[in-house]
């Protein structure tokens, strides 16, 4: 497949829609605009035109925008056709474009891929762009936008520049040590910065869980004895009957999950099997799953029927709230609960939701206040870089090996953003030292 072929695709959503946007990228974009509009529209200006089919009849009237390279999303010549979002209109337009020489339908993600290849964005921004499109909550949108806007890119580029500089200094020491060009105190400063950088990278990695929570959700497990009212709470919060509610103990055997948007944070709520000692085989499997779900949760809600309390213990839970249920049936003194609720009267539910929201926000806030890795890919590469830096910092080792460790580490960091260029190290050396003197 030729890299130079011009690609096109419907870039707006499902049809029919009020307006549909068809995007074109490649050398032929201007040719397409000319063919459809009769003349090339002025660059970067939304212009009203009739779009013509091959025989000169009108497909539709709409807006066209032409973006000559390199000032476009992909860095290539681009054109956009905004038409009425009817299926037949769009089909006719796509058909018309497909009939042009060297034009083909774009593959998934191909516009963004071309943008990356043309240096319009780095890999972290490309990943963030796909997160932005997938974003459902406000926290997801904010995190994705900041990274699409180059927040991660800037951090990693800065780290990489420091590593390239460090290596240039150490290589210079290797090459010119007999000429006395590089004083030993320079090397000491370089290693001090490498050690500082390693610490920064480690604290950066610690923020990964926050990004995971933003992207995948803050996990809340509902546990308790059978009949405590766990499934009723899940259904109440879901606003529909997700789980079977019954006064027969042991009804819920599998883990059921719903997703909520609480104040802009994604929260995954899991209903589990009631914890009790005497249970049948299938129910025991459910109980085992319940324990595992609780152990992996960011917050565990331990429910207890206030009229029939059975205390259950949840080993390994990160943080837990003890909740008394069926408050509407309560007549006497309440036990020692963090809060009490009723899914019949709705009492206490607001307080419970705001408790969950506060805890989710605490975790998510980390991802907003500073740059964090957002993918396992970033974590793996940065861990590898940290291991290399630890090797390089070992002053028992030969200087050549230590310099090599710096090189591998900077390549790892470069791989996160998709930019590794061996020429760069030369540039760093030349710009730092007057080698040709
Ligand atoms: N009065 C009252 N009954 C409740 C409440 N929550 C649950 N129940 C009842 O308690 C029984 C067990 O509820 P369920 O949600 O299935 O408990 P689970 O076994 O913990 O999932 C059912 O008969 C529910 O109708 C509540 O807040 N008030
Ligand atoms: Mg249940």
């Amino acid at each position: 497949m030729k890299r130079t072929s011009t690609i096109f695709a419907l870039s707006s959503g499902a049809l029919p829609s009020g307006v549909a946007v068809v995007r074109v990228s490649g050398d032929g974009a201007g040719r397409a605009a000319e063919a459809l509009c009769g003349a090339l529209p002025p660059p970067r200006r939304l212009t009203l035109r009739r779009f013509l089919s091959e025989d000169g009849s009108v497909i539709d009237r709409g807006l066209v925008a032409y973006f000559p390279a390199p000032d476009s999303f992909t860095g290539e010549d681009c054109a956009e056709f905004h038409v009425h979002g009817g299926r037949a209109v769009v089909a006719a337009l796509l058909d018309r474009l497909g009939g042009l020489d060297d034009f083909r339908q774009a593959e998934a993600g191909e516009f963004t891929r071309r943008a990356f290849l043309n240096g319009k964005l780095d890999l972290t921004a490309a990943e963030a762009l796909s997160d932005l499109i997938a974003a459902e909550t406000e926290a997801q949108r904010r995190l994705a936008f900041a990274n699409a806007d180059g927040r991660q890119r800037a951090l990693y580029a800065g780290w990489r520049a420091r590593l390239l500089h460090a290596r240039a200094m150490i290589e210079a020491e290797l090459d010119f040590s007999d000429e006395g060009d590089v004083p030993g105190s320079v090397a000491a400063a370089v290693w001090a910065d490498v050690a500082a950088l390693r610490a920064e990278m480690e604290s950066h990695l610690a923020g990964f869980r926050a990004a995971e929570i933003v992207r995948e959700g803050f996990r809340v497990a509902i546990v308790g004895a059978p009949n405590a009212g766990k499934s009723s709470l899940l259904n109440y919060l879901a606003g529909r009957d997700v789980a079977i509610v019954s006064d027969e103990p042991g009804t819920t055997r599998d883990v059921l999950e719903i997703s909520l948007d609480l104040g802009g944070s994604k929260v995954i709520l899991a209903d589990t099997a009631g914890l009790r000692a005497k249970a049948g085989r299938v129910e025991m499997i459910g109980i085992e799953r319940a324990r595992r779900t609780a152990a992996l949760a960011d917050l565990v809600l331990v429910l207890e029927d206030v009229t029939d309390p059975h205390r259950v213990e949840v080993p390994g839970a990160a943080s837990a709230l003890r909740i008394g249920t069926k408050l509407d049936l309560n007549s006497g003194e309440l036990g020692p609960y963090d809060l009490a609720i009723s899914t019949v009267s709705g009492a206490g539910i607001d307080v419970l939701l705001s408790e969950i929201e506060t805890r989710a926000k605490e975790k998510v806030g980390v991802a907003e206040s500073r740059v964090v890795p957002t993918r396992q890919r970033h974590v793996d590469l940065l861990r590898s870089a940290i291991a290399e830096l630890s090797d390089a910092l070992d002053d028992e080792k030969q200087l050549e090996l230590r310099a090599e460790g710096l090189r591998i580490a900077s390549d790892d960091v470069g791989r996160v953003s998709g930019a590794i260029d061996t020429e760069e190290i030369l540039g760093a050396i030349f710009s730092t030292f007057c080698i040709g003197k």
Side-chain angles (χ1 to χ4, degrees):
M1 218 172 276
K2 275 202 291 178
R3 247 276 288 145
T4 51
S5 58
T6 299
I7 53 172
F8 61 93
L10 173 66
S11 289
S12 51
L15 302 176
S17 58
V19 176
V21 178
V22 170
R23 197 190 228 176
V24 179
S25 179
D27 293 344
R31 183 158 45 90
E34 212 171 349
L36 270 77
C37 307
L40 196 62
R44 264 175 290 287
R45 191 171 302 164
L46 218 47
T47 313
L48 184 65
R49 286 282 186 273
R50 283 167 197 272
F51 301 140
L52 308 175
S53 58
E54 221 179 331
D55 63 10
S57 63
V58 179
I59 295 172
D60 192 11
R61 199 165 60 132
L63 297 172
V64 60
Y66 172 55
F67 306 92
D71 298 323
S72 68
F73 173 68
T74 60
E76 302 177 322
D77 286 345
C78 282
E80 278 179 19
F81 299 94
H82 301 216
V83 292
H84 295 100
R87 290 183 217 284
V89 176
V90 172
L93 180 58
L94 294 178
D95 198 48
R96 173 78 168 109
L97 291 168
L100 297 171
D101 273 352
D102 260 340
F103 272 58
R104 64 167 173 82
Q105 295 257 7
E107 288 159 23
E110 202 173 2
F111 289 98
T112 313
R113 190 170 157 173
R114 288 190 174 192
F116 167 68
L117 289 173
N118 288 320
K120 285 282 168 179
L121 36 77
D122 76 328
L123 285 184
T124 63
E127 287 165 332
L129 216 48
S130 91
D131 285 350
L132 188 60
I133 289 166
E136 288 178 338
T137 67
E138 186 56 15
Q140 288 173 334
R141 184 193 64 73
R142 279 199 296 264
L143 177 66
F145 181 77
N147 291 335
D149 208 28
R151 192 169 74 155
Q152 272 179 289
R153 174 189 185 139
L155 179 72
Y156 301 145
W159 285 356
R160 188 139 175 272
R162 275 161 75 183
L163 288 170
L164 288 171
H165 174 77
R167 184 174 165 225
M169 293 297 197
I170 300 306
E171 303 245 300
E173 177 164 294
L174 277 169
D175 289 351
F176 302 104
S177 48
D178 9 310
E179 295 173 22
D181 259 349
V182 185
S185 61
V186 171
V190 166
W191 292 120
D193 187 53
V194 170
L197 180 54
R198 183 182 56 173
E200 280 171 47
M201 291 169 92
E202 269 161 359
S203 105
H204 173 73
L205 281 185
F208 181 52
R209 181 68 197 123
E212 259 190 332
I213 290 174
V214 174
R215 295 180 67 239
E216 273 139 47
F218 180 79
R219 287 190 299 251
V220 179
I222 308 174
V223 303
N227 272 343
K230 303 178 292 297
S231 298
S232 300
L233 176 60
L234 184 88
N235 288 345
Y236 189 90
L237 295 178
R240 64 198 155 94
D241 288 342
V242 181
I244 300 170
V245 169
S246 156
D247 55 9
E248 186 185 319
T251 308
T252 308
R253 293 167 166 196
D254 217 335
V255 176
L256 284 172
E257 290 185 347
I258 59 160
S259 168
L260 298 175
D261 180 341
L262 281 190
S265 308
K266 180 172 174 176
V267 172
I268 305 279
L269 208 66
D271 180 23
T272 64
L275 303 175
R276 61 169 169 175
K278 264 199 219 126
R281 211 163 56 88
V282 178
E283 198 186 337
M284 277 315 289
I285 297 172
I287 290 175
E288 187 42 47
R289 285 191 190 159
R291 292 196 188 281
R292 222 178 317 141
T293 304
L296 292 175
D298 299 298
L299 173 66
V300 179
L301 307 181
V302 186
L303 268 51
E304 198 173 290
D305 185 340
V306 298
T307 64
D308 180 23
H310 294 278
R311 210 170 168 84
V312 297
E313 295 309 321
V314 194
S319 84
L321 278 178
R322 282 208 170 262
I323 298 169
T325 60
K326 311 188 192 179
L327 187 61
D328 55 294
L329 300 180
N330 183 57
S331 45
E333 202 57 6
L334 265 189
Y337 301 114
D338 293 318
L339 49 114
I341 60 166
S342 164
T343 52
V344 169
S345 70
I349 302 279
D350 283 355
V351 185
L352 172 60
L353 286 179
S354 81
E355 278 288 333
I356 299 174
E357 185 180 327
T358 307
R359 282 153 202 259
K361 281 236 168 80
E362 270 170 24
K363 295 256 184 161
V364 161
V366 177
E368 299 199 343
S369 56
R370 60 193 182 96
V371 191
V372 296
T374 50
R375 292 277 194 291
Q376 190 64 46
R377 186 181 77 78
H378 308 167
V379 172
D380 294 345
L381 283 167
L382 294 174
R383 283 226 175 92
S384 155
I386 287 172
E388 289 298 332
L389 291 187
S390 299
D391 270 3
L393 283 165
D394 179 356
D395 57 14
E396 305 274 291
K397 283 213 163 84
Q398 264 189 322
L399 206 52
E400 279 91 346
L401 291 177
R402 300 178 73 192
E404 178 65 2
L406 293 178
R407 186 188 66 78
I408 300 173
S410 71
D411 277 2
D412 283 337
V413 175
R415 266 185 208 106
V416 179
S417 47
I420 312 177
D421 185 358
T422 43
E423 292 298 306
E424 251 177 68
I425 180 77
L426 299 175
I429 290 179
F430 285 124
S431 66
T432 320
F433 279 96
C434 196
I435 300 277
K437 71 169 178 99

